[in-house]
Amino acid sequence: MHGDGEQPPVTVEDAGDDGVVIAAVHGDLDVDSFRDVREALFTCLNGRASALVVDLGDVGFFGSMGIAVLVEARQRADVVGAGFAVVAGRRTVARPIRMTDTEDLLRLHRTQDEALAAVRSRSGRGADAEFSWWSS
């Protein structure tokens, strides 16, 4: 499915020895890629991660399929008792999430550091509850 040298749709790394995992999504999150992304996120959560941070910083196109995948992953995180947060520093990703009123459900953050701090504190939300930068 991927040509030589093409980056996979998701790369996963441990964020430390506390069980927090970062899944960085690359490219477009759309009808062609959502199954691979969903599988990767569920693999992280089924692997006994204490928390999952989904970093969408390298996502170009993001629409309803992306939101659906994130909602499913959040629900799975709740089932397995893992923390969950999403990094959406790009407007092209943040705007659809905000327009669907899912930013609180998805525990949205602007930076990976904010998301990591939130899942480590188990609060789910950082100090960045206001996202006024999205509204313009």
Side-chain angles (χ1 to χ4, degrees), residues 47-131:
R48 306 265 188 244
S50 66
L52 175 63
V53 172
V54 182
D55 190 337
L56 303 176
D58 193 30
V59 170
F61 176 82
F62 182 83
S64 61
M65 294 305 290
I67 293 169
V69 166
L70 293 178
V71 168
E72 280 186 89
R74 166 61 203 280
Q75 291 170 336
R76 181 66 187 157
D78 288 348
V79 167
V80 299
F84 186 84
V86 174
V87 179
R90 297 181 71 182
R91 187 179 208 156
T92 55
V93 174
R95 178 168 264 165
I97 292 171
R98 179 150 189 193
M99 290 177 69
T100 57
D101 201 26
T102 55
E103 66 265 25
D104 288 335
L105 172 71
L106 297 176
R107 299 177 178 163
L108 206 60
H109 300 276
R110 287 184 226 163
T111 69
Q112 197 176 95
D113 287 341
E114 289 173 358
L116 287 169
V119 296
R120 286 185 170 130
S121 72
R122 299 296 263 176
S123 69
R125 295 281 300 170
D128 60 339
E130 292 298 318
F131 296 101

